[in-house]
Amino acid sequence: MEGSYRPRHTARPLCMEDRMLLAETICSAVSAAGLGIAAITAYRKRFLSATRIAAYALVPVGLVMTGVVDWVTGVVFKPSVWVGFGVLGLAWLLFTTTRAIERRSGSTRAERKAARAAQREAVAPAASAPSLPGGGAVARPKPKAKPQSAGAGEDFSDIEAILKKHGI
């Protein structure tokens, strides 16, 4: 039996509890480091920044305590979840492919758009205006039109007045 060496502890794969312990340890270390940085920042009399850093530092510990980290590690290490992501990717690929083919043929989407435009034109514009009890319409004042100058709509009199006011 001298030639056969058998180690006492054999290596085993990480189970879910070991992964959770590792995730909890990492989150705790990140939080402790963040709180240390916040303490140094507060020592330098930058209290607002120190408070903000402390708030960010407490997030990983809060996630561990609420069980979000447990849920995420459960999702990441399950093969069925990755198959589900693959199915969602396939569905997205099928949707985009059919839309691309639909655009190239120019059939259904363009026809629906034209039908909607025709339906909007079919409604009378005055039908949506409320009528008065007396049957008369309300006379609305028309906005005053600015006189057009000879330079095809270029009226620089306002600008000239502002420049003269400022002595330019």
Side-chain angles (χ1 to χ4, degrees), residues 18-42:
D18 294 337
R19 291 181 185 140
M20 271 304 302
L21 183 62
L22 180 65
E24 289 173 1
T25 305
I26 291 171
C27 288
S28 299
V30 167
S31 290
L35 289 174
I37 293 169
I40 292 170
T41 306

Side-chain angles (χ1 to χ4, degrees), residues 28-133:
S28 299
V30 167
S31 290
L35 289 174
I37 293 169
I40 292 170
T41 306
Y43 179 76
R44 293 180 181 171
K45 308 263 189 256
R46 297 176 60 201
F47 298 111
L48 188 62
S49 295
T51 306
R52 188 176 298 122
I53 292 169
Y56 282 122
L58 292 174
V59 169
V61 170
L63 291 175
V64 167
M65 293 174 116
T66 57
V68 172
V69 174
D70 183 28
W71 177 76
V72 168
T73 55
V75 166
V76 169
F77 295 112
K78 283 185 184 175
S80 62
V81 172
W82 289 106
V83 171
F85 281 127
V87 169
L88 288 174
L90 177 65
W92 176 79
L93 182 68
L94 292 173
F95 278 127
T96 55
T97 303
T98 55
R99 290 204 50 183
I101 292 171
E102 195 174 79
R103 282 186 186 154
R104 282 191 173 203
S105 66
S107 61
T108 58
R109 193 157 191 178
E111 290 170 356
R112 283 183 284 177
K113 194 173 183 180
R116 274 185 277 166
Q119 187 179 16
R120 279 191 213 123
E121 291 174 6
V123 176
S128 63
S131 59
L132 293 176

